[in-house]
């Protein structure tokens, strides 16, 4: 796992560690790590043109000391001061190593740099960048040189990932001690490039993380054993589709079939059942007559270990009755799409002891928790935590960064998402996939996080099966790529989505 801590906890850990270290030792550790990454990124350090963008805080000091180390190896290092103050010790060290503080010509120096170190602001920075910081951030982002952010790209809120106005677009972010949530959550994550963690000794002083992001080894879907049969592997029941939305039925069933379920039981009105039988003959189907049914309808469908309800189901009285029936069981239930619309008016149905997984996008969550969609999208981390606590459920908030939250647990951030998933029906596939993992016995938080990871990885594999640019995909393509995604997480020791930082070293 990648562990991330919010700024206040990082600051407290730094203070505790600095109390045990000689003065300035912690900054030297950070500068050494930063300089090492920069040296590996350059084809050659000797003669390289390095520009430091230096603010008045500790990150400015880190950049200066790192620049001094590069200067001692022969780099031509120039510092650009932003603001009225500069770290005196770092500046003295840079000058002693042969580096210079520019009095003029900053724009030309940035444009001609081989590598730019962003030390404009630190992890405590919030709100938009002011001048001249905003201008320097823009110049760096437009430069042809490599941009390396110190701890967090300037203009990105380290605790939330919010970006208000100008921000540095880094190729690499070198962060110290622990990841920060803003490095993992969009829109901030999109500004970070590759994130490289430098250990400066904070570990013993850090509390439990606020946010975690999985690596392949952390994704452990249920595996069949020699004594397994279809029932022991898990039976998932799906209530989805209707005369108007038949595709949701086929896609959610497909996500469950390719998601490892031992058996999929599907129930709906006649037309979606017919289509599911045609596309997925291994699915056991039940036709439900139109109209309102009581909980006894579930007995006709058969025994299951988990339920998926909502995709294409409709929002009228009949759909509400089916949703009420599954939510009164003592089994895990995933609710998506139309089911979430029903829950927005029937939140009483969430008063249950068994696990409940909700998979809204920002618009659906806005109806569930009475918040504006734009507010949710601007502060996704805050709102997914609030929703998990308020709804007493595991909440998977879809979007550019998918977040999964349970009350009093670190929020899971999915690192495999891709804009190619912004296509009709991909959410239905995710519902079926997570339902299969729930039926296989995974806890709700783990099933939702693993489902999001595999779903995103399948989309990436489908859109770019060989090295090269991505291509458009459909929800069906995601289903077909799921087996490859499962194989990838079980066979790869590293992260298949993270490029090598030191490719040029």
């Amino acid at each position: 796992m990648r562990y991330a801590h919010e700024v206040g906890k990082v600051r407290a850990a730094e203070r505790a560690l600095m109390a045990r270290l000689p003065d300035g030792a912690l900054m030297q550790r950070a500068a050494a790590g930063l300089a090492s990454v920069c040296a590996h990124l350059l084809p050659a350090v000797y003669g390289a043109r390095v520009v430091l963008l230096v603010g008045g805080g500790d990150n400015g000091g880190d950049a200066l000391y790192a620049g001094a180390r590069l200067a001692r190896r022969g780099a031509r290092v120039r510092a650009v001061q932003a603001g009225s103050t500069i770290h005196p010790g770092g500046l003295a060290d840079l000058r002693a190593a042969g580096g210079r503080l520019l009095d003029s010509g900053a724009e030309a120096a940035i444009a001609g740099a081989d590598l730019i170190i962003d030390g404009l602001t630190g992890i405590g920075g919030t709100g938009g960048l002011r001048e001249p910081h905003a201008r320097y951030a823009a110049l760096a982002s437009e430069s042809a040189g490599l941009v390396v952010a110190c701890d967090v790209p300037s203009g990105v809120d380290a605790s939330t990932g919010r970006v208000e106005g100008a921000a540095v677009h880094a190729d690499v972010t070198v962060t110290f001690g622990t990841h920060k949530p803003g490095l993992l959550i969009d829109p901030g994550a999109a500004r970070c490039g590759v994130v490289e963690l430098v250990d400066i000794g904070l570990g013993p002083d850090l509390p439990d993380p606020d946010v975690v992001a999985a690596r392949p080894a952390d994704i452990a879907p249920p595996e069949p054993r020699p004594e397994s049969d279809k029932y022991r592997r898990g039976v998932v029941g799906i209530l989805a589709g209707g005369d108007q939305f038949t595709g949701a039925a086929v896609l959610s069933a497909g996500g469950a079939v390719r998601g490892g379920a031992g058996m999929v039981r599907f129930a709906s009105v006649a037309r979606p059942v017919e289509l599911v039988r045609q596309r997925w003959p291994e699915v056991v189907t039940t036709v439900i007559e139109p109209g309102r049914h009581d909980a006894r309808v579930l007995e006709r469908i058969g025994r299951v270990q988990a339920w998926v309800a909502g995709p294409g189901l409709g929002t009228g009285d009949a759909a509400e009755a089916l949703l009420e029936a599954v939510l009164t069981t003592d089994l895990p239930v995933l609710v998506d799409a139309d089911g979430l619309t029903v829950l927005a008016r029937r939140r009483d149905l969430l008063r249950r002891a068994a696990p409940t997984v909700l998979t809204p996008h920002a618009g659906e969550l806005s109806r569930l928790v009475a918040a504006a969609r734009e507010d949710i999208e601007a502060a996704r981390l805050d709102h997914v935590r609030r929703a998990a606590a308020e709804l007493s459920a595991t909440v998977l908030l879809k979007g550019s960064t998918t977040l999964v939250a349970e009350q009093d647990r670190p929020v899971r951030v999915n690192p495999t998402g891709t804009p190619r998933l912004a296509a009709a029906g991909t959410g239905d596939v995710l519902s079926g996939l997570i339902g299969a993992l729930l039926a296989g016995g995974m806890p709700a938080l783990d099933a939702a996080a693993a489902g999001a990871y595999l779903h995103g990885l399948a989309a990436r594999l489908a859109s770019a099966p060989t090295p090269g640019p991505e291509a458009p995909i459909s929800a069906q393509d995601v289903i077909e790529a799921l087996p490859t995604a499962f194989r990838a997480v079980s066979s790869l020791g590293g992260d298949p989505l993270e490029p090598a930082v030191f490719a040029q070293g």
Side-chain angles (χ1 to χ4, degrees):
M1 288 284 189
R2 295 183 184 89
Y3 298 101
H5 295 79
E6 293 175 357
V7 170
K9 295 177 182 178
V10 175
R11 293 296 196 207
E14 288 175 341
R15 289 192 296 271
L17 180 56
M18 284 189 290
R20 304 192 300 269
L21 294 176
D23 186 40
L26 193 62
M27 183 172 286
Q28 289 297 337
R29 290 181 182 181
L34 176 60
S36 176
V37 173
C38 291
H40 280 86
L41 288 169
L42 290 165
V45 177
Y46 188 86
R49 295 165 295 178
V50 177
V51 172
L52 317 176
L53 304 181
V54 182
D58 287 346
N59 277 20
D62 296 334
L64 289 165
Y65 281 118
R69 288 172 180 266
L70 296 173
R72 291 189 179 94
R73 295 180 59 178
R76 296 175 54 209
V77 183
R78 302 292 181 262
V80 175
Q81 181 177 347
S84 58
T85 62
I86 194 168
H87 192 281
L91 180 59
D93 195 35
L94 177 67
R95 284 173 165 161
R100 290 199 300 117
L101 179 65
L102 292 178
D103 296 321
S104 60
E107 292 189 12
I110 294 169
D114 299 308
L115 186 141
I116 301 162
I117 298 179
D118 162 34
L120 290 170
T121 63
I123 60 174
T126 58
L129 293 177
R130 300 183 177 87
E131 293 297 345
H133 299 68
R135 180 165 58 91
Y136 291 147
L139 289 170
S141 301
E142 296 164 2
S143 168
L146 284 168
V147 179
V148 179
C150 182
D151 221 2
V152 63
S154 297
V156 172
D157 188 306
S159 285
T160 67
R162 295 186 71 165
V163 176
E164 300 176 19
V168 168
H169 284 253
D171 298 297
V172 177
T173 296
V174 181
T175 198
F176 308 124
T178 181
H179 289 85
K180 288 76 185 175
L183 306 180
L184 305 175
I185 301 171
D186 280 332
R191 269 72 170 183
C192 293
V194 176
V195 178
E196 184 73 7
L197 176 64
V198 171
D199 183 4
I200 57 173
L202 292 186
D205 296 295
L206 286 168
D208 291 339
D210 299 291
V211 167
V212 297
R215 296 182 184 275
D218 304 312
I219 305 302
E223 288 287 339
R225 299 183 179 183
E227 70 276 12
S228 293
D229 57 32
K230 59 190 176 185
Y231 300 105
R232 288 172 178 164
R233 288 186 61 191
V235 181
V236 59
I238 300 177
L239 298 171
D243 290 327
Q244 185 176 3
F245 298 109
T246 56
V250 175
L251 294 170
S252 57
V257 169
R258 292 289 167 83
M263 179 190 291
V264 180
R265 296 187 186 275
F266 178 84
S268 188
V269 294
R271 180 59 178 157
V273 165
E274 177 186 350
L275 294 174
V276 168
R277 282 175 179 163
Q278 292 173 4
R279 179 63 184 86
W280 304 108
E282 58 267 77
V283 173
V284 178
T285 58
T286 301
V287 175
I288 300 174
E289 296 303 319
R292 189 177 180 93
H293 296 269
D294 61 26
R296 287 175 294 181
V297 71
L298 302 185
E299 298 174 7
R300 291 181 46 220
I301 298 169
R303 187 173 179 180
V304 304
Q305 278 80 52
W307 287 101
V308 172
L313 193 63
T315 59
D317 289 345
E320 181 178 318
L322 288 174
L323 188 61
E324 183 171 5
V326 296
L327 287 172
T328 54
T329 70
D330 58 359
L331 297 173
V333 178
L334 180 144
V335 184
D336 185 32
D338 286 342
L340 297 171
T341 300
V342 173
L343 285 180
R345 66 175 185 261
R346 288 292 312 276
R347 279 183 42 174
D348 60 293
L349 296 179
L350 291 170
R351 299 192 195 108
R352 61 195 306 264
T356 309
V357 179
L358 309 178
T359 57
H361 54 60
E364 290 164 335
L365 188 62
S366 71
R367 296 191 290 272
L368 284 167
V369 298
R373 178 175 186 151
E374 56 270 23
D375 292 340
I376 292 172
E377 290 176 337
R380 300 173 59 80
L381 186 58
D382 292 341
H383 282 89
V384 76
R385 283 174 172 154
R386 171 194 162 192
E390 191 174 310
L391 302 173
S392 299
T394 303
V395 179
L396 183 152
L397 177 57
K398 302 171 187 174
S400 57
T401 304
T402 291
L403 304 178
V404 186
E406 274 186 5
Q407 189 171 10
D408 300 324
R409 300 283 300 277
V411 173
R412 306 280 184 96
V413 175
N414 181 50
T416 65
T418 167
R420 297 294 181 185
L421 281 170
T426 58
D428 304 322
V429 177
L430 178 62
S431 295
L433 169 59
I434 297 174
L437 298 176
L438 288 169
M442 291 188 80
L445 183 63
D446 294 337
Y453 191 102
L454 291 162
H455 185 249
L457 182 55
R460 292 196 179 201
L461 293 168
S463 63
T466 58
E470 292 187 348
I473 56 172
S474 69
Q476 188 64 45
D477 294 325
V478 177
I479 294 175
E480 297 302 326
L482 278 174
T484 307
F486 274 79
R487 286 194 294 270
V489 298
S490 63
S491 63
L492 289 172
D495 192 331
L497 304 176
E498 187 169 280
V501 179
F502 302 132
Q504 302 181 55

